[in-house]
């Protein structure tokens, strides 16, 4: 008998895109020894080539593109026989949709807006949706006239006239388009058979895990990195969507988060910070584990700065260029530093093509502040263990994080960190390893960078302490052992007993 299997459900990350969650997933899939993995990768677009060399532990990769012009099954075969695919379209008539689907869909919409949501009812709705799409076509259903009429009538009940006196038709139409895309995984009813479905966020990727649970009795577990609902609220707070769309997205996201916590038999948080959010949305504290991310401390080790940077005061960062990383504040901090240290170099490694509009905003600000020679986008690099030794210190200016790899990777390389105090950063970065600053406070961040650059003795002490802290608490062996333990308990049908939270 072969190893039992875990379906790792991801969105916009591994194995086709980089980032902290991808680093976590790659380590997990490469080093956990007691299971094999199947990847269920949800992406915006259809991806052709993984960015990682996949471990032999990975036996299958399923990809579901959400925002392509065509449907996922126009790009990929998901196992349905041709006759069944054609039959589903022919069987999906307006009469069937009206009778079989609209009542369930209507209940879903009402539950989204229910202030006293009983999550077990939402679970029943998703089970009914899965059963419906086992027999009928997703596209024909969701684009049918009965669905549009039901949606329009129900949404009209939830338009808040004080904020949306003239909720535009385009807003209501966009809302249905969002729902259409979020629910697309319901169209893929032939999910891989697995023993555990392991979610990497408490959001809409719960859908394939639910299907596996309904179909095969698969157990569901969740690892929370950055809290899905918190980051959704942060993003919407800075958006220009009209009130109707913001409210729809918030209410739907909150309902889904509650369902993900309700259905998960084990909830792994990468930090203690997440727990208050998880409990706020209904997570059972007895299900929650704390497993800190771990790294390869042999690979991430202190090295001399490269020759060309030996006498150059250098700050490094490894960050994808988008809003949550708040690169704007990082740029402004560089301008603060440059006034005291004119030859300062900020070297920023990471994908600067993912959100072109945000990158353009950053480049305009760099030009405006006159620091083109000081703040440089270096592009992505695969050898992250060589990035941090280039710097005298590293920097992180995010407005939201889980337990960022960049912080412990920098610490492991003996490079102190100046970071915003968000998520679980303070659980990694103590006062002897670097500095914590308020988010969006470029002045404070800049002054802390100056302090470290100008105080060689302090920098050296922090470097030594940071390295030892990683060796004591954040090694990959500890990280892998804890995940193997959770899998083992779930697979053996024991009640998963969470470990005491380690305080240090």
């Amino acid at each position: 008998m072969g190893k039992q299997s875990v379906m790792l459900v991801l969105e916009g990350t591994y194995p086709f895109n980089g980032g902290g969650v991808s680093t976590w997933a790659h380590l997990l899939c490469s080093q956990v020894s007691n299971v094999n993995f199947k990847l269920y990768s949800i992406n915006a677009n259809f991806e052709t080539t993984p960015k990682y060399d996949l471990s032999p532990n990975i036996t299958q990769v399923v990809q579901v593109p959400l925002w392509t012009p065509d449907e996922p099954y126009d790009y990929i075969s998901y196992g349905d026989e041709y006759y069944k695919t054609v039959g589903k379209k022919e069987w999906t008539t307006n009469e069937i949709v009206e009778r079989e689907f609209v009542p369930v869909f209507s209940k879903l919409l009402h539950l989204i807006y229910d202030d006293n949501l009983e999550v077990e009812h939402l679970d029943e709705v998703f089970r009914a949706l899965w059963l419906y799409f086992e027999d009928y076509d997703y596209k024909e259903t969701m684009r049918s006239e009965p669905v549009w009429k039901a949606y329009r009538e129900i949404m009209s009940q939830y338009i808040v006239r004080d904020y949306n006196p003239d909720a535009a038709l385009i807003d209501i139409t966009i809302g249905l388009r969002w729902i259409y895309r979020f629910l697309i995984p319901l169209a893929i009813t032939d999910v891989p058979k697995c023993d555990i479905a392991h979610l990497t966020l408490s959001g809409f990727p719960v859908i394939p895990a639910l299907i596996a649970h309904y179909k095969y009795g698969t157990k569901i577990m969740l690892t929370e990195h950055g809290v899905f609902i918190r980051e959704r609220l942060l993003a919407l707070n800075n958006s220009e969507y009209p009130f109707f769309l913001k409210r729809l997205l918030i209410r739907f996201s909150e309902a889904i988060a509650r369902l993900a916590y309700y259905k998960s038999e084990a909830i792994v948080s990468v930090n203690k910070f997440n727990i208050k959010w998880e409990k706020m949305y209904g997570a059972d504290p007895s299900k929650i584990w704390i497993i800190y991310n771990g790294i390869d401390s042999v690979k991430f080790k202190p090295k001399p700065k490269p020759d060309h940077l030996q006498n150059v005061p250098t700050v490094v960062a490894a960050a994808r260029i988008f809003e949550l990383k708040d690169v704007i504040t990082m740029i402004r901090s560089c301008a603060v530093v440059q006034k005291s240290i004119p030859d300062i170099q900020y070297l920023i490694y990471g994908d600067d093509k993912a959100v072109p509009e945000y990158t353009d905003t950053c480049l305009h600000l760099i030009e405006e502040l006159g620091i083109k020679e000081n703040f440089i986008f270096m592009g992505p690099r695969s050898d992250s263990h060589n990035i941090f030794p280039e710097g005298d210190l590293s920097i992180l200016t995010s407005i939201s994080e889980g337990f960022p790899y960049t912080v412990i990777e920098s610490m492991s390389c003996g490079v102190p960190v100046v970071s915003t105090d968000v998520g679980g950063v303070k659980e990694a970065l103590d006062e002897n390893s670097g500095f914590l600053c308020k988010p969006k406070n470029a002045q404070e961040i800049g002054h802390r960078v100056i302090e470290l650059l100008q105080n060689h003795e302090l920098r050296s002490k922090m470097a030594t302490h940071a390295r030892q802290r990683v060796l004591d608490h954040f090694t990959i062996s500890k990280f892998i052992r804890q995940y193997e333990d959770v899998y083992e308990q779930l697979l053996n049908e024991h009640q998963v007993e969470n470990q005491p939270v380690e305080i240090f």
Side-chain angles (χ1 to χ4, degrees):
M1 180 178 174
K3 291 181 184 176
Q4 291 176 287
S5 62
V6 172
M7 179 175 72
L8 196 60
V9 187
L10 309 114
E11 183 179 66
T13 56
Y14 193 70
F16 299 103
N17 297 285
V21 175
S22 294
T23 299
W24 169 91
H26 189 60
L27 289 172
L28 195 72
C29 293
S30 300
Q31 303 217 21
V32 163
S33 61
N34 59 343
V35 298
N36 283 325
F37 289 91
K38 300 175 181 182
L39 305 183
Y40 191 106
S41 178
I42 300 171
N43 299 293
N45 302 303
F46 176 64
E47 305 286 351
T48 56
T49 307
K51 288 194 174 181
Y52 295 80
D53 294 327
L54 301 186
S55 162
N57 282 354
I58 297 172
T59 62
Q60 185 178 359
V61 179
V62 175
Q63 186 186 167
V64 179
L66 285 190
W67 294 95
T68 49
D70 301 309
E71 307 310 303
Y73 35 78
D74 292 325
Y75 295 86
I76 303 160
S77 171
Y78 294 101
D80 273 349
E81 297 89 343
Y82 178 71
Y83 81 88
K84 188 174 181 181
T85 302
V86 173
K88 278 185 171 185
K89 290 183 180 293
E90 292 180 351
W91 301 329
T92 309
T93 63
N94 278 353
E95 292 75 19
I96 286 290
V97 172
E98 186 78 58
R99 186 177 73 244
E100 303 291 336
F101 182 76
V102 166
V104 182
F105 183 63
S106 299
K107 187 173 183 180
L108 172 64
L109 297 178
H110 285 301
L111 285 172
I112 288 170
Y113 286 96
D114 189 344
D115 291 332
N116 299 301
L117 172 66
E118 295 186 28
V119 71
E120 58 269 24
H121 293 167
L122 190 60
D123 185 19
E124 292 166 2
V125 163
F126 271 93
R127 191 174 193 282
L129 290 171
W130 159 66
L131 287 170
Y132 174 87
F133 287 118
E134 281 274 283
D135 295 324
Y136 301 109
D137 184 74
Y138 185 81
K139 182 176 179 180
E140 295 295 321
T141 297
M142 294 296 290
R143 296 188 177 186
S144 68
E145 185 177 352
V147 167
W148 167 248
K149 284 183 175 179
Y151 167 78
R152 186 187 63 202
E153 289 170 9
I154 291 169
M155 288 297 102
S156 67
Q157 301 173 33
Y158 295 105
I159 292 171
V160 181
R161 299 298 176 186
D162 290 348
Y163 297 97
N164 269 106
D166 299 306
L169 178 61
I170 187 65
D171 299 339
I172 298 172
T173 304
I174 289 171
L176 184 56
R177 182 171 182 250
W178 282 355
I179 292 171
Y180 180 96
R181 292 295 173 178
F182 295 149
L183 298 181
I184 271 181
L186 283 168
I188 318 300
T189 57
D190 192 22
V191 301
K193 189 173 184 180
C194 54
D195 300 292
I196 297 171
H198 187 170
L199 302 170
T200 54
L201 73 163
S202 54
F204 292 98
V206 72
I207 293 172
L210 290 173
I211 294 173
H213 174 70
Y214 300 144
K215 197 167 188 174
Y216 308 118
T218 297
K219 295 173 179 289
I220 299 174
M221 68 174 283
L222 161 68
T223 293
E224 192 95 85
H225 295 272
V227 180
F228 161 76
I229 189 61
R230 179 177 182 271
E231 295 189 345
R232 178 74 87 193
L233 292 172
L234 282 170
L236 284 171
N237 186 53
N238 295 319
S239 77
E240 296 182 357
Y241 292 129
F243 180 82
F244 169 79
L245 288 174
K246 281 188 177 182
R247 186 165 180 249
L248 170 62
L249 192 49
I250 289 170
R251 298 306 294 261
F252 202 178
S253 299
E254 288 181 327
I256 288 292
R258 290 184 181 279
L259 182 59
Y261 294 136
Y262 173 72
K263 295 298 287 186
S264 295
E265 295 189 38
I267 300 167
V268 177
S269 178
V270 300
N271 60 51
K272 289 176 282 201
F273 171 84
N274 290 349
I275 294 175
K276 66 178 181 181
W277 283 87
E278 293 161 351
K279 289 166 65 176
M280 192 187 310
Y281 284 90
D284 180 349
S286 70
K287 296 180 179 180
I288 299 174
W289 289 55
I290 299 282
I291 300 181
Y292 290 114
N293 293 339
I295 58 167
D296 184 346
S297 56
V298 175
K299 183 177 180 181
F300 288 89
K301 62 184 180 182
K303 298 176 186 176
K305 283 180 72 176
D307 290 342
H308 70 285
L309 293 172
Q310 276 295 335
N311 297 311
V312 180
T314 309
V315 177
V316 296
R320 184 167 174 254
I321 312 305
F322 76 120
E323 290 84 349
L324 281 180
K325 299 300 180 183
D326 193 14
V327 183
I328 294 296
T329 293
M330 193 186 296
I331 294 167
R332 293 191 184 280
S333 79
C334 179
V336 172
V337 177
Q338 194 256 0
K339 291 175 182 176
S340 299
I341 307 175
D343 58 340
I344 182 66
Q345 290 281 285
Y346 273 56
L347 306 180
I348 315 305
Y349 292 95
D351 185 359
D352 56 358
K353 303 288 191 291
V355 187
E357 303 83 3
Y358 187 75
T359 300
D360 288 344
T361 301
C362 291
L363 292 172
H364 287 312
L365 181 60
I366 292 166
E367 180 82 37
E368 178 186 324
L369 295 174
I371 53 173
K372 282 179 65 177
E373 302 302 317
N374 306 99
F375 195 99
I376 304 167
F377 288 131
M378 305 294 288
R381 246 172 83 171
S382 58
D383 59 335
S384 56
H385 58 288
N386 290 323
I387 290 175
F388 297 104
E390 290 187 358
D392 298 294
L393 59 101
S394 73
I395 191 168
L396 179 75
T397 54
S398 299
I399 59 172
S400 181
E401 285 288 349
F403 191 84
Y405 273 97
T406 56
V407 169
I408 56 175
E409 287 172 351
S410 180
M411 290 167 59
S412 188
C413 292
V415 177
V417 183
V418 174
S419 174
T420 45
D421 185 3
V422 293
V425 173
K426 70 170 60 174
E427 296 168 47
L429 186 69
D430 67 357
E431 68 277 6
N432 296 312
S433 305
F435 290 118
L436 290 168
C437 305
K438 292 179 181 178
K440 293 188 175 292
N441 192 328
Q443 288 289 327
E444 182 187 10
I445 294 166
H447 289 143
R448 288 302 196 181
V449 169
I450 293 168
E451 182 178 352
L452 268 180
L453 287 174
Q454 292 183 339
N455 190 332
H456 175 76
E457 183 180 353
L458 175 63
R459 202 166 69 244
S460 178
K461 284 181 179 178
M462 283 188 166
T464 301
H465 180 86
R467 168 71 177 174
Q468 189 59 48
R469 185 169 172 79
V470 170
L471 296 177
D472 290 342
H473 301 294
F474 308 124
T475 58
I476 192 169
S477 59
K478 184 174 184 179
F479 162 81
I480 294 299
R481 186 172 64 251
Q482 288 176 306
Y483 272 103
E484 288 179 340
D485 194 10
V486 180
Y487 288 151
E488 192 69 33
Q489 290 193 44
L490 279 175
L491 291 169
N492 289 333
E493 298 187 353
H494 297 155
Q495 181 175 349
V496 179
E497 297 179 357
N498 57 355
Q499 298 174 330
V501 175
E502 184 176 4
I503 305 295
F504 46 77

